[in-house]
Amino acid sequence: NVAGIVRQTAKLRDTGDAFVRDMRTFADGELQTVRDSVLAYCECLAAVEDHRQAQVARFEARVLHPFTAYGANCKKGKEDLKDRKAAREKGKEDLKDRKAARE
């Protein structure tokens, strides 16, 4: 399920963002060298989460929205087919009635 993958990726991104926030809070109470290292690590993790956000947006734009439109197009196509079939059957009945009236 593609939508499930997108939701899982978004949830993972949110969890990563929360982890980065917590790590930054932790770094504020540490010595300068530890703080610099933890903040550098946080920057790397934030970049990964930014990439995940781009991945979620790309999935939504290229996969989910076209599938949503595809479902609507299929439904419209079925309705059109049903209407045309009904019109064809009505035309057959009209043709039968005209032939019967001529005889």
Side-chain angles (χ1 to χ4, degrees):
N1 185 342
V2 177
I5 293 169
V6 172
R7 280 192 301 273
Q8 286 176 340
T9 304
K11 186 176 179 182
L12 186 60
R13 177 208 58 214
D14 293 342
T15 303
D17 287 341
F19 181 69
V20 168
R21 277 193 308 273
D22 292 343
M23 288 296 289
R24 285 186 176 152
T25 303
F26 167 77
D28 289 339
E30 294 298 317
L31 297 174
Q32 184 66 32
T33 55
V34 174
R35 183 181 325 137
D36 291 344
S37 297
V38 170
L39 290 177
Y41 180 68
C42 288
E43 290 302 317
C44 292
L45 284 178
V48 169
E49 300 313 320
D50 290 343
H51 177 71
R52 278 206 180 99
Q53 173 58 33
Q55 186 180 20
V56 167
R58 194 170 46 247
F59 273 144
E60 288 176 346
R62 293 188 179 175
V63 177
L64 289 182
H65 294 301
F67 273 142
T68 303
Y70 178 76
N73 288 341
C74 286
K75 185 176 180 180
K76 185 178 183 301
K78 284 181 182 180
E79 291 173 359
D80 288 346
L81 182 63
K82 185 178 175 181
D83 292 344
R84 290 178 185 200
K85 186 176 178 182
R88 180 176 162 226
E89 294 299 322
K90 184 178 178 186
K92 280 184 179 180
E93 289 177 15
D94 289 346
L95 186 60
K96 274 186 184 178
D97 291 342
R98 283 191 232 152
K99 283 184 180 179
R102 288 183 194 164
E103 294 175 1

